[in-house]
Amino acid sequence: MWPRIDGLRVLELGTPGELRAWLTELTLAGEKTATAGLLPLDYHAEGEEVEHVGERLVLVDDSGARVAGIEITRVRLTPFAAVTWEFAQAEGEGFRSVEHWREVHRRYWEGQGCEVDDGTTVVCLWFRVVDHGL
């Protein structure tokens, strides 16, 4: 189960350290407006339901401190091979193509112990920052 703050689910981007700091900075700057998770790794293994449009989450830093409130604006479950360039661009991480997005994400998730194939379900979340540091 994911941590909660004030009854809201917590959003931790990437892995702790440099990656999380960078992704959080991109989000607070408005450059990152989407994030991806794997249905089997991030939801089923944690016993969590997929987010829904309008849901509010708490974005936290490495220490678990709240840095912003996030509102989910769009949710799409899609096979790994069908993730779109539109989504890859919304992640705001400088991907050169959707193929580059797939290469980076496959490597990341496999590093987390989850084998990814073309049919693995990706949870594509679009969001907006609704408050900073509350």
Side-chain angles (χ1 to χ4, degrees):
M1 184 172 222
W2 296 342
R4 305 293 201 265
I5 294 178
D6 297 330
L8 300 176
R9 292 195 280 182
V10 164
L11 176 60
E12 299 171 305
L13 296 171
T15 51
E18 276 184 41
L19 179 59
R20 181 164 299 154
W22 178 59
L23 296 175
T24 299
E25 285 176 26
L26 289 173
T27 299
L28 295 176
E31 295 176 40
K32 181 173 181 62
T33 59
T35 194
L38 286 186
L39 194 59
L41 176 68
D42 300 312
Y43 294 87
H44 292 165
E46 294 285 335
E48 290 288 344
E49 292 186 21
V50 172
E51 293 87 349
H52 61 273
V53 172
E55 183 175 359
R56 299 273 175 115
L57 307 173
V58 177
L59 178 64
V60 298
D61 62 16
D62 272 350
S63 70
R66 179 187 184 122
V67 295
I70 300 292
E71 181 179 18
I72 303 299
T73 60
R74 186 173 163 197
V75 179
R76 182 169 179 226
L77 276 62
T78 188
F80 182 76
V83 170
T84 66
W85 176 231
E86 171 205 12
F87 179 77
Q89 288 177 302
E91 280 208 300
E93 298 170 38
F95 300 111
R96 298 181 303 272
S97 65
V98 72
E99 292 78 17
H100 181 226
W101 180 93
R102 288 186 187 114
E103 173 189 322
V104 169
H105 281 75
R106 184 185 309 270
R107 191 175 337 116
Y108 172 80
W109 284 319
E110 288 180 352
Q112 301 299 307
C114 189
E115 289 293 318
V116 176
D117 62 34
D118 285 351
T120 302
T121 302
V122 177
V123 179
C124 299
L125 299 174
W126 286 262
F127 57 81
R128 67 185 184 97
V129 175
V130 292
D131 61 60
H132 289 269
L134 296 177

